[in-house]
Amino acid sequence: MIELLAVLSASAAAGLRIALPLLVIGLLRNDLWSSVPFLSKFSPQVVVGVLVSWSLFEIFASKKLLGQRILQIIQLLFSPFVGAILGLAIAGATNVQPGLYWIIAIVAGLLALVLQLVQTGLFYRLRGLPLWVILGQDILCIFLVIFAFDAPKQGGLIALLLLWLSIRISGEWYRWYRKQSHHGERNPRRYKREPD
């Protein structure tokens, strides 16, 4: 159970940022990324250079509206993949049975994708995320990776809380959409074209 909470904590970080949690997890380990799936195939110097560059881009570009829009698209595409990588890295570090790796990769990738989908929805609904939300994401992302190693219970509970908030927000959106569609059916004149 502790191992699962650690996996959830790390994969939730991937639902907030892509490069930043990978960079943090590499810096926290003595062997850098040699035991991290996919990244272990590349030279540590190359991985450090790419992750540092992309992390800086994530941190600074997210403060501007155009940068947020670009990051939302990229993070939406890559968050399941990064979530699965982080989940497998934590599973390998906590001696989880290898037979469970596929399940862990799927669950971690889905959690990261769900969190990123909700963020994308908030971005388009609010027409940009406030600066305090962006700063909170950066800080929470780093702490979730640290908690995955040092405090998996707390990190896992935070990840489950984020998942619960995501479900609640999605439910509110669905009810709002249903209300809008029913309101439109009751007032069909609103959608009739005005005569020229």
Side-chain angles (χ1 to χ4, degrees), residues 110-171:
L110 286 176
L111 176 61
L113 179 61
V114 166
L115 294 179
Q116 190 57 53
L117 280 171
V118 172
Q119 285 183 87
T120 303
L122 283 172
F123 171 77
Y124 286 106
R125 182 81 184 273
L126 301 174
R127 297 177 183 171
L129 296 175
L131 182 60
W132 64 271
V133 172
I134 300 298
L135 293 173
Q137 287 176 334
D138 294 336
I139 295 169
L140 185 59
C141 176
I142 294 170
F143 276 106
L144 282 170
V145 177
I146 295 172
F147 284 166
F149 288 103
D150 297 335
K153 287 184 180 179
Q154 289 81 355
L157 290 175
I158 293 171
L160 291 174
L161 179 62
L162 290 174
L163 179 62
W164 176 77
L165 285 173
S166 300
I167 294 170
R168 288 293 303 269
I169 291 171
S170 301

Side-chain angles (χ1 to χ4, degrees), residues 17-29:
R17 294 286 179 264
I18 293 177
L20 192 58
L22 289 173
L23 179 63
V24 173
I25 199 173
L27 296 176
L28 287 175
R29 297 176 60 86

Side-chain angles (χ1 to χ4, degrees), residues 181-192:
S181 59
H182 285 311
H183 185 55
E185 290 172 3
R186 292 174 189 168
N187 298 292
R189 291 182 181 177
R190 292 180 58 197
Y191 300 97
K192 285 186 178 179

Side-chain angles (χ1 to χ4, degrees), residues 34-88:
S34 60
S35 60
V36 176
F38 183 72
L39 296 183
S40 60
K41 298 178 180 179
F42 301 97
S43 167
Q45 291 82 2
V46 173
V47 176
V48 167
V50 171
L51 291 181
V52 167
S53 301
W54 188 253
S55 296
L56 290 174
F57 178 74
E58 282 181 334
I59 290 171
F60 292 110
S62 62
K63 307 305 182 284
K64 302 290 184 181
L65 186 60
L66 178 61
Q68 287 183 23
R69 186 172 287 122
I70 294 171
L71 284 174
Q72 290 296 333
I73 296 170
I74 296 172
Q75 289 174 345
L76 191 60
L77 292 174
F78 288 100
S79 60
F81 181 63
V82 175
I85 288 176
L86 286 170
L88 290 174

